[in-house]
Amino acid sequence: DLRARVDGYVATYAPAVKSFGPLELDAMLVTATGPSYAHGVDADVALAERLSAAAGCTVDLVSLSIVSALRALEVSSIRLLSPYPPWLTERSVAYWEGAGLRVASVVPVSEAFRSYDLQTAEVLSALDRARALDGEAVLLTGTGMTSVNAIRTAAPDYDVPIVSSNVCGAWRLLKLTRATPSAAFKAVAPALAERLAGDRR
């Protein structure tokens, strides 16, 4: 079940990052947030260091990418959109609070766990219930939840950043590899794209 999968994933990370063999990679991103919530940011940092040593390149966890992106945006308070069942949402809140973020509110995206099946309209409906204040951001957590079209549609009506796990992960890879963000990335995450441009000056 979901709990068993989430709690079992971490053991698979090291074999996975080693499986690329002699392929010379600039960076890797582990794109599962759920496993990180159980053990916290400090443990994630240590895990990322071990995986980087095993892989021979920088390995980041998407949960750490989210923290880094929110810090780059100078955000200390978030409105959390969660596609998870309550027990995993509780772990998620504890993780973000352990990272020094205030979770101002939690908006469930669905009454049942259907992260991978959610439609853009459902995510937009949740965004409509997550009105954030100045200095906050809206975080769509969970890499399985569709987010790009919802963010692109909702962003013009928001005065605060809207970010998702996948957008933050993409930002982190762009930052690590010093790659140029695409027009699509700039459209979905203009504030993060600006931070990348600033890093290159």
Side-chain angles (χ1 to χ4, degrees):
D1 63 8
L2 178 63
R3 191 186 296 262
R5 291 204 315 272
V6 165
D7 291 342
Y9 276 144
V10 173
T12 71
Y13 291 172
V17 301
K18 292 177 182 177
S19 70
F20 290 88
L23 186 63
E24 294 184 4
L25 299 173
D26 294 315
M28 291 189 207
L29 180 70
V30 178
T31 59
T33 47
S36 293
Y37 298 149
H39 53 251
V41 174
D42 290 343
D44 261 3
V45 170
L47 175 59
E49 290 174 353
R50 293 196 303 272
L51 293 175
S52 297
C57 68
T58 299
V59 179
D60 202 25
L61 307 177
V62 72
S63 47
L64 293 177
S65 297
I66 295 167
V67 173
S68 296
L70 291 172
R71 287 176 179 166
L73 294 172
E74 299 180 350
V75 166
S76 59
S77 180
I78 58 173
R79 306 276 170 164
L80 185 67
L81 263 67
S82 175
Y84 303 134
W87 66 267
L88 191 52
T89 297
E90 290 171 9
R91 283 187 183 183
S92 175
V93 169
Y95 185 93
W96 306 125
E97 290 179 342
L101 296 162
R102 173 178 173 265
V103 180
S105 65
V106 176
V107 178
V109 182
S110 173
E111 292 184 7
F113 176 69
R114 313 172 24 248
S115 180
Y116 306 104
D117 300 320
L118 289 167
Q119 302 300 307
T120 295
E122 295 173 279
V123 179
L124 282 170
S125 175
L127 275 169
D128 194 50
R129 304 193 305 272
R131 292 295 173 182
L133 304 175
D134 288 344
E136 296 181 335
V138 178
L139 171 61
L140 285 67
T141 191
T143 53
M145 180 170 64
T146 183
S147 61
V148 170
N149 287 337
I151 293 172
R152 187 176 290 173
T153 300
D157 296 327
Y158 273 75
D159 295 325
V160 302
I162 307 172
V163 297
S164 68
S165 301
N166 292 323
V167 166
C168 292
W171 171 80
R172 181 65 174 148
L173 286 175
L174 288 167
K175 187 176 174 66
L176 287 171
T177 60
R178 299 188 66 80
T180 302
S182 66
F185 183 86
K186 292 177 181 177
V188 174
L192 287 174
E194 286 177 14
R195 298 305 188 279
L196 289 171
D199 290 343
R200 289 170 172 76
R201 293 191 187 112

